[in-house]
Amino acid sequence: MTESPAPYLDIFPRGQEIPERLDEQHIITTKTFGFLIHPNIPLTSPDLKIADIGAGTGAWLLDIASSLPSTCQLTGFDVSSSSFPPSQTLPPNVAFKIQDMLLPFPPSEIRTYDIVAVRFVSVATMRIEWVRAIENLVTLLRPGGWLQWIDSCNFALYNSVPGTSRTACQEMYDGLEPFRSKNDVVIGMMMRESKNVRREDVFRGIGLVDVHEDVFSTDRLQDPKLQLRDKGTRNVVVCFMGCLESLVEVEGSGWSKERIERVKEEAMREVDKGVYHTLDQICIIGRKA
């Protein structure tokens, strides 16, 4: 038995991801924001070099590649290659590499990128951990290059039909307390903000300029035909249950494989009856002076 979740889980879960879930998350997030790259970031150069951190299946990177000149260079980095698309299917200007975002990048990558984009790598990240990650990623940027960080927080549950239960979904969320019961958590899909955590100040403190943060709620999506609210809620249930699986071997956690399976089945039945969630989707950008 171990005493606590692995520290790395606080910023970048190592669990085996489901490619279909990642692709669905990409679609939902893009529709929530209405952009792939923040409109404050210029895309006029025909020779942009872009890094995607936590690239997963490459859905975001490949969408970007289809909208930019083929003279742009795009590289996806992830801690595992398990979700990378087959190399023979990639455009010539797109590549994927294995890289831990918290470890130094190879010298050949340093100060070579115009845009570094990060998406959904935080669970419940303390300020000191977030600063460390950002400082490492900023080393990739050329002077004048932009960092774009997209993540989420402020999970909430709602009924759409009177009299329906949220008990299992709430049990799932309450079980994630070990991930978020830390001091000075500033970002991550399991955290709830009790005050202004001043994420923009973190970017400015590292020396980034032209800093801006947008926050959109997932309930901005109002398209019944696409069923994005239902799909998004099921996506989050799968993600959260995957995180709870890492607590099975944690002494005193109270979680077993049997309990996880029961809660997952009951939570999905609640979603069938109209329970849904919202999250705040955050996009914060800053430019390297």
Side-chain angles (χ1 to χ4, degrees), residues 7 15 19 23-24 30 88 111 113-114 130 152 177 202 208-209 217 240 244 260:
D23 289 344
E24 194 169 79
T30 302
Q88 64 269 23
R111 294 169 62 91
Y113 287 91
D114 301 289
W130 201 38
S152 56
E177 185 62 26
V202 174
L208 297 175
V209 298
S217 175
F240 281 179
L244 287 173
I260 286 173

Side-chain angles (χ1 to χ4, degrees), residues 132-147:
R132 177 188 166 201
I134 295 169
E135 287 178 337
N136 192 41
L137 296 177
V138 167
T139 65
L140 295 173
L141 290 172
R142 296 168 175 160
W146 289 82
L147 175 66

Side-chain angles (χ1 to χ4, degrees), residues 49-229:
K49 190 173 180 182
I50 299 174
D52 179 18
I53 309 299
T57 64
W60 181 89
L61 200 66
L62 292 170
D63 270 4
I64 291 292
S66 68
S67 66
L68 293 175
S70 60
T71 49
C72 297
Q73 294 295 315
L74 300 94
T75 305
F77 295 98
D78 210 317
V79 71
S80 168
S81 63
S82 61
S83 296
F84 288 171
S87 58
Q88 64 269 23
T89 67
L90 299 177
N93 62 331
V94 176
F96 289 85
K97 300 179 181 181
I98 296 174
Q99 173 69 40
D100 186 328
M101 62 179 274
L102 297 180
L103 297 179
F105 284 77
S108 59
E109 306 285 357
I110 301 301
R111 294 169 62 91
T112 65
Y113 287 91
D114 301 289
I115 300 171
V116 172
V118 192
R119 297 171 305 121
F120 300 110
V121 298
S122 304
V123 171
T125 304
M126 293 189 298
R127 191 176 306 268
I128 189 171
E129 296 169 329
W130 201 38
V131 168
R132 177 188 166 201
I134 295 169
E135 287 178 337
N136 192 41
L137 296 177
V138 167
T139 65
L140 295 173
L141 290 172
R142 296 168 175 160
W146 289 82
L147 175 66
Q148 172 179 286
W149 192 298
I150 288 178
D151 239 306
S152 56
C153 64
N154 296 329
F155 175 85
L157 285 168
Y158 296 96
N159 298 83
S160 61
V161 179
T164 52
S165 171
R166 303 189 311 274
T167 302
C169 287
Q170 191 64 55
E171 182 180 354
M172 170 192 69
Y173 183 69
D174 291 346
L176 298 168
E177 185 62 26
F179 291 93
R180 58 179 177 263
S181 58
K182 302 184 295 295
N183 293 325
D184 203 16
V185 173
V186 294
I187 198 166
M189 68 185 303
M190 294 182 193
M191 74 167 287
R192 289 197 62 82
E193 292 176 291
S194 59
K195 61 181 181 180
N196 182 358
V197 296
R198 301 186 180 279
R199 282 179 287 266
E200 291 172 299
D201 289 351
V202 174
F203 270 46
R204 294 188 183 103
I206 291 169
L208 297 175
V209 298
D210 297 332
V211 175
H212 178 79
E213 180 185 60
D214 282 325
V215 181
F216 292 148
S217 175
T218 52
D219 64 5
R220 186 182 189 213
L221 302 173
Q222 299 294 332
D223 191 336
K225 291 182 180 179
L226 294 176
Q227 297 182 315
L228 293 175
R229 189 170 74 178

